[in-house]
Amino acid sequence: MGNLSLVTIVIIAANVIISFKGFNDFGFFEKYKFNVGSIVKGEQFRMFSSGFLHVDTAHLFFNMFTLYVFADVVIGFLGALYFIIIYVGSLLLGNLLSLYFHKNEYYYSAVGASGAVTGIIYSAILLQPDMSLYLFFIPIPIPAYIFGVGYLLYSIYGMKNRIGNIGHDAHFGGAIGGYIITLLLASWLFETHLLMIVILALPIVLLFVLKKLGKL
C-alpha cells in the first residue's frame, strides 16, 4: 500500500458522504437503493446509485478499507482511467448479476460498494499475485489470493443464508467484472500469471454450479 491516490480519495469520500446521507435520510436511502421492482419499472439509475449506499458504518468501513488496501495496486499497474473503468464496470456487472438472480423477487433490495470493491480485489490480485496482507490481529502475512477467494466463499455463505441487506451476489458479479475487464485491459497476464487466472476463476465457477444445482 502506498499513498492514497486522488481517484481513490474521491471514491471513498463519495461513498462516505452518500452513505451517511442514507443513514440519516430514510427517503433518500429508499429512493437510491437497489430494488428489483423499481428497476424493472424503469429506475435503472439504482443500478449505479446503490453502489454508494451502505447499511451501516461497519459495512461502509469494511468496503472502504478493502478498497484502500487494493486500489493503488490497480492504479499503479493500469493507471487511474482504467481503475475507474474496472470500478464502475464491476459495480454495474455486480448489480446485473443480482438482477438476474432475483428477477422474480419484486421486493428484493440491496446496497453496497461490494461489487465494485470485489472487482478491484480481483484485478489487483491478477496484476500482483505475490501480494501479501496483514489483517487485523493475524500476525502472519496472508497471500492476497487467499483473501480474494475467501471473500467470495464468504459471499456464497451470505447469499445462501441471506445475511443482512447486503448484495452478496453482487460480489460475484463484481469479481467477474474485475476479472474480465482486467484480462481485456492487460492480456499479457495470460503469459505471466496463468495459474492465478485459473485459481481466481474457481469460486466463480463454484457459484454457478451451486446455482445450477439449486443450492442457492
Side-chain angles (χ1 to χ4, degrees), residues 129-149:
D130 59 346
M131 190 169 36
S132 292
L133 304 174
Y134 287 89
L135 298 178
F136 302 109
F137 300 108
I138 301 174
I140 57 173
I142 298 174
Y145 71 89
I146 291 179
F147 177 85
V149 170

Side-chain angles (χ1 to χ4, degrees), residues 59-158:
H59 184 209
L60 173 64
F61 173 80
F62 182 73
N63 274 338
M64 293 305 98
F65 176 76
T66 307
L67 179 64
Y68 161 71
V69 170
F70 290 96
D72 277 1
V73 175
V74 179
I75 294 168
F77 275 93
L78 300 179
L81 177 60
Y82 282 176
F83 170 82
I84 294 169
I85 291 171
I86 294 167
Y87 187 91
V88 174
S90 298
L91 190 164
L92 294 175
L93 280 168
N95 280 334
L96 277 172
L97 190 69
S98 286
L99 189 62
Y100 169 72
F101 272 22
H102 301 282
K103 58 183 178 291
N104 297 320
E105 300 174 49
Y106 189 84
Y107 295 105
Y108 177 82
S109 297
V111 294
S114 302
V117 172
T118 309
I120 295 300
I121 291 173
Y122 257 53
S123 180
I125 297 169
L126 281 171
L127 292 164
Q128 191 175 322
D130 59 346
M131 190 169 36
S132 292
L133 304 174
Y134 287 89
L135 298 178
F136 302 109
F137 300 108
I138 301 174
I140 57 173
I142 298 174
Y145 71 89
I146 291 179
F147 177 85
V149 170
Y151 192 82
L152 288 195
L153 292 177
Y154 168 74
S155 297
I156 290 179
Y157 175 79

